[in-house]
Amino acid sequence: MPDTLIVNEIYRTISGEGITAGLPCTIVRLTGCNLRCKWCDTTYAYDEGQRQSLEEIISRVNHAGMKLSLITGGEPLLQPATPRLLEELCNAGHTVLLETNGSMDISGLDKRVIICMDVKCPGSCQADSLRWENLDYIKSQDEVKFVLTDRNDYEYARKIIQDANLIERCNVIF
């Protein structure tokens, strides 16, 4: 069913983190995640949700009246129709952010989409999940986020930032 997605929830809110913190937005939380981070705060998105057509999702986002849309999960890129949803929302005039755990290929995504990639540090117990080549596709408007639990996570993040020259290439969030 390439024209449908399993949606956990869609709601209007104020963005709470990253470069859009404080801005009104519509969140589309898709169902499913391939990781099990130790500190996950959205375990309900692992398997709860209802199948909806792309047209229904886009209609609900448009009806919410916000021009900023955040597509998140779980891991949204596990669902094959996600890239099309991102493109259609961009075509409809939305500023679209994709929150991803970095384990799925981002190379073919619409370049208008702002990538918010969460690089998993050792404290998450998922540090080996990153698809390293994804860092090659990060654009200047994108952000790379590191959730830190201790000094070891900080040092891990610092090395990745330095090795990938992230400070010069994109927004970096701790």
Side-chain angles (χ1 to χ4, degrees):
M1 296 187 192
D3 292 335
T4 64
L5 289 161
I6 302 172
V7 177
N8 178 273
E9 58 188 344
I10 299 175
Y11 60 97
R12 293 173 11 156
T13 190
I14 303 297
S15 180
E17 61 184 51
I19 58 176
T20 61
L23 298 177
C25 73
T26 301
I27 291 185
V28 177
R29 185 177 311 284
L30 300 179
T31 300
C33 191
N34 55 330
L35 303 184
R36 295 297 181 262
C37 297
K38 184 177 180 178
W39 38 253
C40 182
D41 62 355
T42 52
T43 57
Y44 61 92
Y46 289 167
D47 52 23
E48 296 175 16
Q50 295 182 335
R51 187 167 295 282
Q52 297 180 25
S53 70
L54 288 177
E55 293 76 20
E56 181 180 358
I57 297 166
I58 293 166
S59 174
R60 290 182 65 191
V61 171
N62 285 335
H63 182 73
M66 308 289 178
K67 285 300 180 184
L68 179 63
S69 301
L70 170 63
I71 312 307
T72 188
E75 173 49 58
L77 294 176
L78 288 174
Q79 297 194 49
T82 300
R84 183 157 170 238
L85 173 66
L86 300 170
E87 181 179 2
E88 293 296 327
L89 287 170
C90 287
N91 290 344
H94 294 269
T95 299
V96 179
L97 293 91
L98 171 71
E99 199 167 67
T100 177
N101 64 30
S103 68
M104 307 296 293
D105 184 8
I106 65 167
S107 65
L109 297 178
D110 190 306
K111 300 300 182 222
R112 296 173 291 177
V113 174
I114 298 169
I115 304 296
C116 307
M117 186 182 306
D118 185 357
V119 174
K120 304 300 181 182
C121 295
S124 72
C125 298
Q126 299 294 301
D128 60 349
S129 65
L130 182 65
R131 184 181 171 102
W132 290 100
E133 54 270 26
N134 278 341
L135 293 176
D136 296 334
Y137 300 104
I138 293 296
K139 308 173 300 298
S140 61
Q141 73 266 27
D142 296 340
E143 66 183 46
V144 176
K145 177 176 76 172
F146 299 88
V147 176
L148 308 178
T149 59
D150 57 22
R151 182 71 182 202
N152 184 49
D153 282 356
Y154 170 76
E155 295 298 340
Y156 179 85
R158 191 171 152 206
K159 180 167 179 15
I160 291 172
I161 291 165
Q162 182 177 355
D163 290 351
N165 197 30
L166 292 179
I167 294 294
E168 302 298 322
R169 297 179 42 225
C170 65
N171 299 289
V172 175
I173 310 291
F174 279 176

